[in-house]
Amino acid sequence: MKILVCISNVPDTTTKIKFSEGDSSIDTTGVQWVINPWDELSLTRALELKDDPSSGIKSVTVAHVGPVSSEPTIRKALAIGADDAIRVNAGAADAYFVAAQLAELVKKEQFDIIMCGIESSDHNGSEVGAMIAEFLNIPSVSAVSGITPENGIPVITREIDGGREKVTVPAPFVIIVQKGIAKEPRIASMRGIMTARTKPIKVVEPVAGESLTQIISLEKPAPRSACKFIDADNPAQLIELLKNEAKVI
Amino acid sequence: MSVLVFTENWDGKFKKLTYELVSWASEVAKMINGTVTALSIGSVAEGELEKLGNYGAGKVLTVETPALNTLDSQAYAALLSEVVLKEKASVVILSNNNMGKAVAPRLSVRLKAGICSGVSKLPLSTDPFTVYKRAYSGNAFSRVVIKSDIKIVTLAQNSFGIIENPVNVTVEKANVAVDNSLVHTQVKDVEKQSGKILLTDADIVVSGGRGMKSPDNWTPLLELAEALGAATACSRPVSDEGWRPHEEHTGQTGKIISPNLYLAVGISGATQHLAGVSASKYIVAVNTDKDAPIFEAAQYGIVGDAMKILPQLAEAVKHIK
């Protein structure tokens, strides 16, 4: 079986993002780019599965839709351990466009398990994974916190209201992964970094696709009011303020 | 033209978010001179369906079939798209929770309808259809235009509020077929924690961080939560250490929540944690370090020892209730 891990290239989550009011994208000067945190966990789990002979996973490929400038991030995924990578040479116009591109790759290369992070930390969309599945008319499972082979069949753990359940779906399928899928992101070893240099990144041109949405501008969140401090000797005052001033209890 | 609401229930009752979705839908319906139709999947208690009329739903469609007892996003999206087309809905609203995230993107592809997730306000305009959503994990908001004829929106929980707007409501069975051949999800095992308040649907959340020092110190926090009728949460280090279950982890890589009141105890307030809670209406912090970044995000704060303060807070809550 072959796994495809879809990755986004996002600003490091500790970066203070900068933009001018009304801009439609951020100022990328000085931004550190990283693999989207959930995609990194998803890649980690994919590699763990490949390490487990009972999983039947033979290869882990990463895919990314983006310009050549995102190749350092793809290279990081290869250094962590992905076997190879595919970059669709196009700007990520919107989730619909990106999902159409990735669905095309799955169709061509016949992947069995497609893994996507629950959202990217930039647009917080949470859309691409399930869209790929619908383009291909195959099952998708969301809010996935685990995938483990049991008697050769991948059993998926997903979060549901007030608990979790273990489910199976026939392959090929898409899982949209979240917290719990892997403990810690795997870190590239020195050897991994060296071998990543020679691993292939296949570049493919996009298929015709459209975008259905467009970001027209970014705004800064309204500043929060300054914190009102309550004397530690009189905590009851906090409860009174929450009841009578904030009116939330 | 109509606005279609994808409702959700829990334990036989509509979730609070359902009333918020209907409220949003009826305000949007006013903007486009349309009506509100709500789709209810599964069984709810007697009288629940009619309640949707209190918030502006003129029509409630019901679907009850064992095939949909398990969430299968493919089958759900197929059913919903059929209802959208039958009802000639031009706007579809779902919650931006696990359910919405599973179903809405599939619906988008099925209908070739643009989607915007995590919207927190009414549309800024309906032509072009422009919505406002959280981006960069709370560090920005973006204005997004949905260009297609049918628009799909998922609403950030607790961002809009519930507005009463009573209308006459009719309840009928949705005249749609459920395609059983699309149901591929087989459940092998379910683990439910019953009787608890859902963290993602809670009005009040009490959350503990590493500043709680030991898992043995949680009792006063749980007692305060119980007095407030609150759900409990924790920061990432706490769940990583195994002090609290992973389900409680709130933050960028954990659950993203937006209660009316988020009470952070012994949580320093790293960017990654705030990304998961910054949409809360009020953030209250209790921390020994007066320079902790959590106080920059909080509206109320106490600098002091949680072990001394928590029992007094619980006592004060019992006093006013």
Coordinates of all heavy atoms in Angstrom, one line a residue, chain B residues 16-60:
Chain B
K16 N -26.7 23.7 21.5 CA -26.8 25.1 21.5 C -26.4 25.7 20.2 O -26.9 26.7 19.7 CB -25.9 25.6 22.6 CG -26.2 27.0 23.1 CD -25.2 27.5 24.1 CE -23.8 27.7 23.5 NZ -22.8 28.2 24.4
L17 N -25.3 25.1 19.6 CA -24.8 25.7 18.3 C -25.9 25.6 17.2 O -25.9 26.5 16.3 CB -23.6 24.9 17.8 CG -23.7 23.4 17.4 CD1 -24.1 23.2 16.0 CD2 -22.4 22.7 17.7
T18 N -26.9 24.7 17.3 CA -27.9 24.6 16.3 C -28.8 25.9 16.3 O -29.1 26.5 15.3 CB -28.8 23.4 16.6 OG1 -28.1 22.2 16.3 CG2 -30.1 23.4 15.7
Y19 N -29.1 26.4 17.6 CA -29.9 27.6 17.7 C -29.1 28.8 17.1 O -29.6 29.8 16.6 CB -30.3 27.8 19.1 CG -31.2 26.7 19.6 CD1 -30.8 25.9 20.7 CD2 -32.4 26.4 19.0 CE1 -31.6 24.8 21.1 CE2 -33.2 25.4 19.4 CZ -32.8 24.6 20.4 OH -33.6 23.6 20.8
E20 N -27.8 28.8 17.3 CA -26.9 29.8 16.8 C -26.9 29.8 15.3 O -27.0 30.9 14.6 CB -25.5 29.7 17.4 CG -24.6 30.9 17.0 CD -23.2 30.8 17.7 OE1 -22.8 29.7 17.9 OE2 -22.6 31.8 17.9
L21 N -26.8 28.6 14.7 CA -26.9 28.5 13.2 C -28.2 29.0 12.7 O -28.2 29.7 11.7 CB -26.7 27.0 12.8 CG -25.3 26.3 13.2 CD1 -25.4 24.9 12.7 CD2 -24.2 27.0 12.4
V22 N -29.3 28.6 13.3 CA -30.6 29.1 12.9 C -30.7 30.6 13.0 O -31.2 31.3 12.1 CB -31.8 28.4 13.6 CG1 -33.1 28.9 13.2 CG2 -31.7 26.9 13.4
S23 N -30.2 31.2 14.1 CA -30.2 32.6 14.3 C -29.5 33.3 13.1 O -29.9 34.3 12.6 CB -29.6 33.0 15.6 OG -30.2 32.4 16.7
W24 N -28.3 32.8 12.8 CA -27.5 33.4 11.7 C -28.2 33.3 10.4 O -28.3 34.2 9.7 CB -26.1 32.6 11.6 CG -25.1 33.2 10.7 CD1 -24.2 34.1 11.0 CD2 -24.9 32.8 9.3 NE1 -23.4 34.3 9.9 CE2 -23.8 33.6 8.8 CE3 -25.6 32.0 8.4 CZ2 -23.4 33.5 7.5 CZ3 -25.2 31.9 7.1 CH2 -24.1 32.7 6.7
A25 N -28.8 32.1 10.2 CA -29.5 31.9 8.9 C -30.7 32.8 8.8 O -31.0 33.3 7.7 CB -30.0 30.4 8.9
S26 N -31.4 33.1 9.9 CA -32.6 33.9 9.7 C -32.2 35.4 9.5 O -32.9 36.1 8.7 CB -33.6 33.8 10.8 OG -33.0 33.8 12.0
E27 N -31.0 35.8 10.0 CA -30.6 37.2 9.7 C -30.1 37.2 8.2 O -30.4 38.2 7.5 CB -29.4 37.6 10.6 CG -29.8 37.7 12.1 CD -30.9 38.8 12.3 OE1 -30.8 39.9 11.7 OE2 -31.8 38.5 13.0
V28 N -29.5 36.2 7.7 CA -29.0 36.2 6.3 C -30.3 36.1 5.4 O -30.3 36.8 4.4 CB -28.1 35.0 6.1 CG1 -27.8 34.9 4.6 CG2 -26.8 35.1 6.9
A29 N -31.3 35.3 5.8 CA -32.5 35.2 5.0 C -33.1 36.6 4.8 O -33.6 36.9 3.8 CB -33.5 34.3 5.7
K30 N -33.1 37.4 5.9 CA -33.6 38.8 5.8 C -32.8 39.6 4.7 O -33.4 40.4 4.0 CB -33.5 39.5 7.1 CG -34.6 39.1 8.1 CD -34.4 39.8 9.4 CE -35.0 39.1 10.6 NZ -34.6 39.5 11.9
M31 N -31.5 39.4 4.7 CA -30.7 40.1 3.8 C -30.9 39.7 2.3 O -30.8 40.5 1.4 CB -29.2 39.9 4.1 CG -28.7 40.4 5.4 SD -27.1 39.8 5.9 CE -26.0 40.9 5.0
I32 N -31.3 38.5 2.1 CA -31.6 38.0 0.7 C -33.1 37.8 0.4 O -33.4 37.2 -0.6 CB -30.8 36.7 0.4 CG1 -31.2 35.6 1.3 CG2 -29.3 37.0 0.5 CD1 -30.6 34.2 0.8
N33 N -33.9 38.3 1.3 CA -35.4 38.1 1.1 C -35.7 36.6 0.9 O -36.5 36.2 0.0 CB -35.9 38.8 -0.1 CG -36.1 40.3 0.2 OD1 -36.5 40.6 1.4 ND2 -35.8 41.2 -0.7
G34 N -35.2 35.8 1.8 CA -35.4 34.4 1.7 C -36.0 33.8 2.9 O -36.4 34.5 3.8
T35 N -36.1 32.5 3.0 CA -36.6 31.8 4.1 C -35.6 30.8 4.7 O -34.6 30.6 4.1 CB -37.9 30.9 3.7 OG1 -37.4 30.1 2.7 CG2 -39.0 31.8 3.2
V36 N -35.9 30.3 5.9 CA -34.9 29.4 6.5 C -35.5 28.0 6.6 O -36.6 27.8 7.1 CB -34.6 29.9 8.0 CG1 -33.7 28.9 8.7 CG2 -34.0 31.3 7.9
T37 N -34.8 27.1 6.2 CA -35.1 25.7 6.3 C -34.1 25.0 7.1 O -32.9 25.2 6.9 CB -35.2 25.0 4.9 OG1 -36.2 25.7 4.2 CG2 -35.7 23.5 5.1
A38 N -34.5 24.2 8.1 CA -33.5 23.4 8.9 C -33.7 22.0 8.6 O -34.8 21.4 8.5 CB -33.7 23.7 10.4
L39 N -32.5 21.3 8.5 CA -32.5 19.8 8.3 C -32.1 19.1 9.6 O -31.0 19.4 10.1 CB -31.6 19.5 7.1 CG -31.4 18.0 6.9 CD1 -32.6 17.3 6.4 CD2 -30.2 17.7 5.9
S40 N -32.9 18.2 10.0 CA -32.6 17.5 11.3 C -32.4 16.0 10.9 O -33.3 15.4 10.4 CB -33.8 17.7 12.3 OG -33.6 16.8 13.3
I41 N -31.2 15.5 11.3 CA -30.9 14.1 11.0 C -30.9 13.4 12.3 O -30.3 13.8 13.3 CB -29.6 14.0 10.3 CG1 -29.6 14.6 8.9 CG2 -29.2 12.5 10.1 CD1 -28.4 14.6 8.1
G42 N -31.6 12.2 12.4 CA -31.7 11.4 13.6 C -32.9 11.8 14.4 O -33.6 12.7 14.1
S43 N -33.0 11.1 15.6 CA -34.2 11.4 16.4 C -33.9 12.4 17.5 O -32.9 12.3 18.1 CB -34.8 10.1 16.9 OG -33.9 9.5 17.8
V44 N -34.9 13.3 17.7 CA -34.8 14.2 18.8 C -36.1 14.0 19.7 O -37.1 13.5 19.2 CB -34.6 15.6 18.4 CG1 -33.2 15.9 17.8 CG2 -35.7 16.1 17.4
A45 N -36.0 14.6 20.9 CA -37.2 14.4 21.8 C -38.4 15.2 21.2 O -38.3 16.1 20.4 CB -36.8 15.0 23.2
E46 N -39.5 14.8 21.7 CA -40.8 15.4 21.4 C -40.7 17.0 21.6 O -40.2 17.4 22.7 CB -41.9 14.8 22.3 CG -43.3 15.3 22.2 CD -44.1 14.4 21.3 OE1 -43.8 13.2 21.3 OE2 -45.0 15.0 20.7
G47 N -41.2 17.7 20.7 CA -41.2 19.2 20.9 C -39.9 19.9 20.5 O -39.9 21.1 20.4
E48 N -38.8 19.2 20.3 CA -37.6 19.8 20.0 C -37.6 20.5 18.6 O -37.1 21.6 18.4 CB -36.4 18.8 19.9 CG -35.9 18.4 21.3 CD -35.1 19.6 21.9 OE1 -34.1 20.0 21.4 OE2 -35.6 20.0 23.0
L49 N -38.2 19.8 17.6 CA -38.2 20.3 16.2 C -38.8 21.7 16.1 O -38.4 22.6 15.5 CB -38.9 19.3 15.3 CG -38.2 17.9 15.2 CD1 -39.1 16.9 14.5 CD2 -36.9 18.1 14.4
E50 N -40.0 21.8 16.9 CA -40.7 23.1 16.8 C -39.9 24.2 17.4 O -40.1 25.4 17.0 CB -42.1 22.9 17.6 CG -43.1 22.0 16.9 CD -42.7 20.5 17.0 OE1 -41.9 20.2 17.9 OE2 -43.3 19.7 16.3
K51 N -39.0 23.9 18.3 CA -38.2 25.0 19.0 C -37.4 25.8 18.0 O -37.1 26.9 18.2 CB -37.2 24.3 20.0 CG -37.8 24.0 21.3 CD -36.7 23.6 22.3 CE -37.3 22.9 23.5 NZ -36.2 22.2 24.2
L52 N -37.1 25.1 16.8 CA -36.3 25.9 15.9 C -37.0 27.1 15.3 O -36.4 28.0 14.9 CB -35.9 24.9 14.7 CG -35.0 23.7 15.2 CD1 -34.8 22.8 14.0 CD2 -33.7 24.2 15.8
G53 N -38.4 27.0 15.4 CA -39.2 28.1 14.9 C -39.0 29.4 15.8 O -39.2 30.5 15.3
N54 N -38.6 29.2 17.0 CA -38.3 30.3 17.9 C -37.2 31.2 17.4 O -37.1 32.4 17.8 CB -38.0 29.9 19.3 CG -39.2 29.1 20.0 OD1 -40.3 29.3 19.5 ND2 -38.9 28.4 21.0
Y55 N -36.3 30.6 16.6 CA -35.2 31.4 16.1 C -35.2 31.7 14.6 O -34.3 32.2 14.0 CB -33.9 30.6 16.5 CG -33.9 30.2 17.9 CD1 -34.4 29.0 18.4 CD2 -33.5 31.1 18.9 CE1 -34.5 28.7 19.7 CE2 -33.5 30.8 20.2 CZ -34.0 29.6 20.6 OH -34.1 29.3 22.0
G56 N -36.4 31.4 14.0 CA -36.6 31.9 12.6 C -36.7 30.8 11.6 O -36.8 31.1 10.4
A57 N -36.7 29.5 12.0 CA -36.8 28.5 11.0 C -38.3 28.3 10.6 O -39.0 27.9 11.5 CB -36.2 27.2 11.4
G58 N -38.6 28.5 9.4 CA -40.0 28.4 9.0 C -40.4 26.9 8.6 O -41.5 26.5 8.7
K59 N -39.3 26.2 8.2 CA -39.6 24.8 7.8 C -38.5 23.9 8.4 O -37.3 24.3 8.4 CB -39.5 24.7 6.3 CG -39.8 23.4 5.7 CD -40.4 23.4 4.4 CE -39.5 23.2 3.2 NZ -40.0 23.3 1.9
V60 N -38.9 22.8 9.0 CA -38.0 21.8 9.5 C -38.2 20.5 8.7 O -39.3 20.0 8.7 CB -38.1 21.6 11.0 CG1 -37.2 20.5 11.5 CG2 -38.0 22.9 11.8

